[in-house]
Amino acid sequence: SQLKGHILMRNCFGQNKILFFFSLGFLLFYACFVFFMHTPWYTAAQFKFAYHNHNTAILMRTIDLESVVSNGYDDVTCDLFIYNSNIQPKTKQTFEQFYKLIKKDICDGTLVMIDRYLKDNVWHEPTGTSVLKGREMGIDYDELLERSMLRNTSIKGIGSLSKDDNGNYILPVTVADRYTDTDFVINLLLQRNTEGIWKITKIINYRNYLEHVRNLYNADITTYINDTKAQTAEYNRTFQGIQLKFQAMTKPIGANISNDQRAQIQKFILSEVIPAYTSHENYLQNVNVPPGASHLHMLRLQSNSKTIEAWKYFAEGIGKDSKDDLSKAECSHQEALVLEQKVSDIMNKMPALFVPEIP
C-alpha cells in the first residue's frame, strides 16, 4: 500500500514536471514570438508573405501608407522640375509653394484611391465631390499619378532585409515599369513607430527610380517624335486648311441658320472633316511606338478619337438643330483640348497641368 502510494506520487510528480516544462517551453516560445513581432525582420517576413499570397490585409499592416505617400509626394513634385531646366527660380518657388498648399488634399485623396484599388484591384477615377476630379485643385491629377509611376510599377522580387552603415533597416525590392519592363531596385526604409512596431515608411531611392524611368522614356519619346514629325506636320496642315474652310463657310451665317445652310455644314463635316481625322487615327494606329512613348501615343489616340466624337455630335446637332447634341459636341471638344494639352506638355517637357495660374 505504501509502495503503491509512493509510485502514484512519483507518477504525479513526473506528469506535473512534464506539464511544467511544456508550459515553460510554450511561454518561452510565445515570449520569443512576441519579441520577434517587434523586430524589422518580422515586418519584412510579413511583407513577403503578403505579397506572395496576395493578402492585402497583412500587407497594409506592414506599411505606414500615410508616411510613404507623403514622402513620395515630395519626391514626385521635386522631380517635375527636372523635366524643364528653363523654369525661372521665381516661377519654381511659386510652384513649390503651390504644391505645399495642396499636399494634404492630394495625399488624402491618393490614400482613398489606393484603398479602393486594394479592395477590387482597379484604379478608379476620382468621382463625386472628390477634389481630385477634373481640375478642382488646379492640377491634372491623372498625369500626376502617371508621373509618380504608382499605377505603372510591378514588383518582380523581394530581397533580404539588411542594416546599412547609418543603422537603417533596408528591404530591397526589384520592380519594373509597365512600358519598358526594365528592372530597378528600390530600397524600402523600415522604422519603428510609437507602439514599437516596425513598418515601411519610405522608398529611400524613389526619386532615383523616377529619374531612371524618365531617362528611359525621354529617349523613346524623342525617337517617337522624330519618327512621326513629318507625317504629323502634314496632318496639321490638312487640319488647318479644313479649319479655314469651315470658318469661311460659317462666317457669313447669322443667328438664324437656314435648313440649306445646316445641310451644307453637315455635309462638309461628314465628307471632309471626319474623314481627315479618321485618316489620322488610322495612321496613329499603325505607327511603330517605342515602349517609353506608349503613354504619349495613347494620349494622341484619345485626343484624336475625342475630336472625331465632337465633330460627329456637332454634325448631328447642326443637322437636326439639336441643342443636346451640340452640348455633347462642346463637352467632347473640351475633353479633346485637355488631352491635347497633355500631349503638348509631355512633348515640351513641361511639369504637366498640375501647376498654378501664374500672372
Side-chain angles (χ1 to χ4, degrees), residues 254-265:
N256 297 318
I257 308 176
S258 67
N259 290 335
D260 287 343
Q261 289 171 325
R262 289 182 184 279
Q264 184 184 10
I265 294 172

Side-chain angles (χ1 to χ4, degrees), residues 63-221:
I63 303 173
D64 180 351
L65 198 57
E66 189 172 338
S67 293
V68 172
V69 169
S70 177
N71 289 317
Y73 176 87
D74 294 336
D75 285 334
V76 172
T77 52
C78 179
D79 182 74
L80 298 174
F81 300 112
I82 305 176
Y83 275 83
N84 192 327
S85 58
N86 296 323
I87 296 178
Q88 297 300 313
K90 186 177 180 181
T91 302
K92 181 180 177 181
Q93 185 180 12
T94 304
F95 286 168
E96 289 172 342
Q97 291 172 349
F98 170 72
Y99 293 137
K100 288 177 182 178
L101 286 173
I102 66 173
K103 178 177 178 177
K104 185 179 185 307
D105 291 315
I106 297 298
C107 289
D108 288 349
T110 301
L111 288 170
V112 172
M113 287 194 67
I114 292 174
D115 182 63
R116 292 185 67 190
Y117 171 77
L118 291 173
K119 288 177 180 176
D120 54 22
N121 202 34
V122 175
W123 289 107
H124 295 276
E125 299 245 344
T127 57
T129 59
S130 173
V131 295
L132 305 181
K133 189 175 74 171
R135 298 189 217 174
E136 295 293 328
M137 296 291 295
I139 67 168
D140 186 332
Y141 181 68
D142 186 66
E143 282 303 299
L144 178 62
L145 282 182
E146 193 67 28
R147 297 285 180 89
S148 74
M149 299 303 297
L150 178 62
R151 300 175 301 189
N152 299 323
T153 298
S154 59
I155 295 176
K156 301 187 76 173
I158 302 173
S160 300
L161 185 71
S162 62
K163 195 174 183 180
D164 67 12
D165 295 336
N166 297 319
N168 297 317
Y169 287 96
I170 309 298
L171 182 64
V173 177
T174 302
V175 299
D177 68 285
R178 169 186 172 188
Y179 298 120
T180 69
D181 195 34
T182 305
D183 288 0
F184 186 90
V185 178
I186 59 173
N187 295 318
L188 306 183
L189 174 66
L190 278 71
Q191 292 179 307
R192 185 163 47 192
N193 62 17
T194 54
E195 298 173 353
I197 304 298
W198 289 82
K199 290 194 173 188
I200 296 165
T201 60
K202 184 179 182 180
I203 304 172
I204 295 177
N205 58 340
Y206 182 38
R207 198 178 302 177
N208 297 121
Y209 174 55
L210 295 176
E211 184 177 353
H212 157 80
V213 172
R214 185 186 64 249
N215 291 337
L216 290 174
Y217 288 8
N218 281 350
D220 282 353
I221 287 171

